[in-house]
Amino acid sequence: MRRTGKGLIGGALLAAVSGIALSLYSSRVARRAEELVPAEGRFLDVAGARLHYIDMGSGPAIVMVHGLGGQLRNFSYALVDLLKDDYRVIVVDRPGSGYSTATGNTTPGIVAQGAIIADFIQKLGLDRPLLVGHSLGGAIGLAVGLDHPHLVRALALIAPLTRPQEEVPESFRGLARVPAGARRGFAQIIGTPLSRLTSAKTLEGIFAPEAVPEDFAIRGGGALSQRPIAIAAAAADLGGVNDDLTPMVERYGEIGVPTRILFGRQDAILDPAYNGHRTAAAIPGAKIDTIEGGHMIPVTAPEACARFVRAAFAAG
């Protein structure tokens, strides 16, 4: 019995030491990521969050909201430069992503993030900007269109998540399995080390069938997604999407804001027929365009996305 007791104590001690070591490793990874991709914009306190954003150019306003596990450099990688000469382009980190943080101990869901973006628009004093949303950011754009339509002139949704998902894309399945109460601990001890090991494969799946740009970790902000705070937020986003999207879908017929959708025909993350064509048919007057490409077309096809954004602005 003594040997068994010693074995249990030794095993528990080893597990504790390993946990501490992995946690310290995760903290080092986070610090290094923040050195490589520092905060480069301004901060604004709104109801429910402190948001980090970049404000470039001049003219009529465009607000851009990124997707799951991303951050504002997903847009500033190439797309913003194609628009800022004619528009005031504002790209924002969602709560828990990049350098934005949510107020309190929970990550807000899609509807709550829509309210946060609505307050952001009001606090900046923007006059009905075009709201651009990529992936999960598209769902947030729809939440704004449903609950705060007077604040935006139109919605431009790029590869948007628009409907409840029966199956999580392979690239995100590991995150989806993490229980709500364990997300922060998982992210700090396991999530970051695991992300470092699997990041290449994960990015390949997200960008497929296109290649991942060699400079995406820095220029596209990809390094920040490996921090524990970002992993925990992404897991929370995944865990709550269907709760908000299910009732939202029933209201799409109420949307009166001009809405345009753009999808890459080879998108391996979100099905263009389900999330694109089906949703466009449910929103009065909505239009959908498709191009060659995968899920990350704001990075891989910025010229086509810029033309789409300009057309959406003109239609609004």
Side-chain angles (χ1 to χ4, degrees):
M1 292 295 291
R2 289 181 180 176
R3 289 181 180 178
T4 302
K6 288 180 179 179
L8 289 172
I9 293 172
L13 182 59
L14 179 60
V17 171
S18 298
I20 292 170
L22 288 170
S23 179
L24 291 172
Y25 172 77
S26 296
S27 296
R28 287 198 299 271
V29 169
R31 287 194 297 271
R32 180 55 178 160
E34 291 167 359
E35 290 171 359
L36 292 171
V37 187
E40 54 189 330
R42 307 171 189 172
F43 289 88
L44 180 67
D45 291 320
V46 301
R50 184 172 191 252
L51 298 180
H52 172 244
Y53 69 100
I54 296 177
D55 190 338
M56 291 171 283
S58 60
I62 297 174
V63 174
M64 296 186 167
V65 183
H66 65 82
L68 180 73
Q71 60 110 220
L72 57 78
R73 288 197 186 195
N74 291 179
F75 291 119
S76 64
Y77 183 93
L79 181 54
V80 170
D81 284 344
L82 299 175
L83 297 168
K84 67 181 183 181
D85 289 344
D86 299 307
Y87 303 94
R88 178 184 176 187
V89 185
I90 300 159
V91 289
V92 59
D93 285 334
R94 294 190 301 103
S97 301
Y99 287 94
S100 291
T101 54
T103 303
N105 295 319
T106 60
T107 299
I110 290 170
V111 172
Q113 289 191 50
I116 286 169
I117 294 300
D119 195 41
F120 176 70
I121 290 170
Q122 293 181 92
K123 289 280 175 62
L124 285 180
L126 303 179
D127 181 18
R128 296 180 64 244
L130 173 70
L131 183 56
V132 178
H134 174 236
S135 194
L136 180 63
I140 293 165
L142 288 167
V144 175
L146 283 167
D147 296 334
H148 315 276
H150 61 290
L151 295 178
V152 293
R153 66 179 292 132
L155 302 177
L157 312 179
I158 302 175
L161 170 68
T162 65
R163 311 187 79 84
Q165 302 298 292
E166 293 183 5
E167 186 173 295
V168 176
E170 183 178 355
S171 298
F172 301 115
R173 284 177 192 166
L175 283 177
R177 296 190 185 104
V178 182
R183 285 170 185 149
R184 293 193 177 188
F186 168 86
Q188 184 68 36
I189 297 173
I190 300 173
T192 291
L194 186 61
S195 177
R196 294 278 288 177
L197 290 172
T198 62
S199 61
K201 182 179 179 181
T202 298
L203 284 174
E204 286 174 3
I206 294 170
F207 274 85
E210 295 155 312
V212 182
E214 293 183 0
D215 59 356
F216 182 73
I218 297 176
R219 182 176 164 188
L224 292 181
S225 67
Q226 296 180 354
R227 297 175 306 160
I229 186 175
I231 292 170
D237 284 332
L238 273 174
V241 290
N242 286 355
D243 293 340
D244 279 342
L245 280 174
T246 298
M248 282 174 58
V249 167
E250 300 300 318
R251 298 177 58 204
Y252 284 167
E254 303 172 15
I255 295 178
V257 176
T259 302
R260 295 191 66 155
I261 297 172
L262 179 68
F263 255 103
R265 285 188 281 271
Q266 293 79 34
D267 194 317
I269 300 298
L270 294 173
D271 180 14
Y274 180 63
N275 287 281
H277 292 279
R278 187 171 175 181
T279 296
I283 299 173
K287 295 183 178 180
I288 180 168
D289 301 303
T290 60
I291 61 173
E292 291 297 306
H295 189 65
M296 292 299 291
I297 50 178
V299 173
T300 60
E303 293 85 2
C305 288
R307 289 192 296 269
F308 167 75
V309 169
R310 289 176 181 275
F313 194 98

